[in-house]
Amino acid sequence: MGAPLDRRAVLKGLAAAAATLAAGGVTAGALAGGAGAAPAVVDPITAQTLEAFADTIIPGERRHPGDRAVAGAVSGPGAVQAGALEVLASPELPLRPLLPAIAALLTTRATAYAATHLILLPPLQPPFVGLSFAHRTKLVGKLYGPEDVDRAIWQVLALVVALAFDTAANDDTADAVRTGHPGLTWLGFPAAGADGAWRFGAYSYGRALAPLHPSTTPSGSPA
C-alpha cells in the first residue's frame, strides 16, 4: 500500500507551477517532446489519466483512431494537442514527482463514480479514461463542488491545463504563434511584429479613453 497522499504538497506544487507559468518561467527547451507527445518520465497510466482530465477541461479531436485519453467530443485542437501534459511534466516545474499521486487521486474518484452509477469500466484502461466524455464532465463538475475536500487541487490543475492552451505556456509566445501552436492558432492570437513585440494600431473601443500623460516614458510606463 502506497504512502498517504500529501494534499498540501500537491496543492503547493500546483500553485507554484501556475505562478511560474503565468510569469513566463518555462522555456520550450525544458519540455520533453512536442505537443501531444507524452514525456517519457511519466508512466502510461499517469499520462493517459491526466490527458483525459485535460481533454475534459478543454476538449479536442482525437489524435488517431485508437485514441482513448482524448474523447473526441469536438473538432479542432484541445488542451492535449496544445501540450498540457508536457507543461505539467516540465522539469522546470515542481509537479513532475507529484503527477502519479494526482492521477491516482483522480483514479480513486473515477472508480467511486463508476461504482455509484453502475458503470462497467474497461479493464485495460485507467478508470477515468474508461468513462465516456459525458461522465467525465459530470465527475469533474462534482470535483469542483464546495463539498469536495480536494476542490482546490482540481481548480489549480485546471488552471495549469488552461494556461497550456490559452497562453502557450510551454514556449515563447512569438515563437508559438509563428510555429502554429494549436491553442493560440485556434484562438486567433495575432502574430508579433518583426521585432517580436505586439503593437495595435487601433484603440480597442474605437477611441482613446484618456489622453496620454505628458510624463509617460517612451516605453509606455508612467513617470
Side-chain angles (χ1 to χ4, degrees), residues 13-89:
L14 282 166
T20 301
L21 291 171
V26 172
T27 61
L31 299 173
V41 295
V42 180
D43 67 89
I45 293 179
T46 295
Q48 291 179 50
T49 300
L50 295 177
E51 283 188 336
F53 178 87
D55 182 65
T56 307
I57 300 302
I58 304 179
E61 60 192 17
R62 284 195 167 104
R63 295 162 289 183
H64 50 80
D67 201 346
R68 292 292 176 267
V70 177
V74 300
S75 60
V80 174
Q81 291 86 347
L85 185 59
E86 288 74 20
V87 171
L88 289 170

Side-chain angles (χ1 to χ4, degrees), residues 63-157:
R63 295 162 289 183
H64 50 80
D67 201 346
R68 292 292 176 267
V70 177
V74 300
S75 60
V80 174
Q81 291 86 347
L85 185 59
E86 288 74 20
V87 171
L88 289 170
S90 169
E92 292 190 14
L93 299 179
L95 285 179
R96 184 185 292 187
L98 303 172
L99 296 182
I102 296 173
L105 183 59
L106 190 55
T107 291
T108 299
R109 299 304 180 84
T111 302
Y113 178 91
T116 301
H117 292 78
L118 302 179
I119 298 171
L120 183 61
L121 294 171
L124 300 180
Q125 296 176 22
F128 190 80
V129 176
L131 293 174
S132 68
F133 182 77
H135 283 299
R136 292 180 189 179
T137 302
K138 290 180 180 178
L139 172 55
V140 170
K142 291 180 178 295
L143 297 181
Y144 292 146
E147 72 285 351
D148 193 287
V149 66
D150 296 313
R151 180 187 184 189
I153 290 178
W154 310 121
Q155 288 176 324
V156 183
L157 181 62

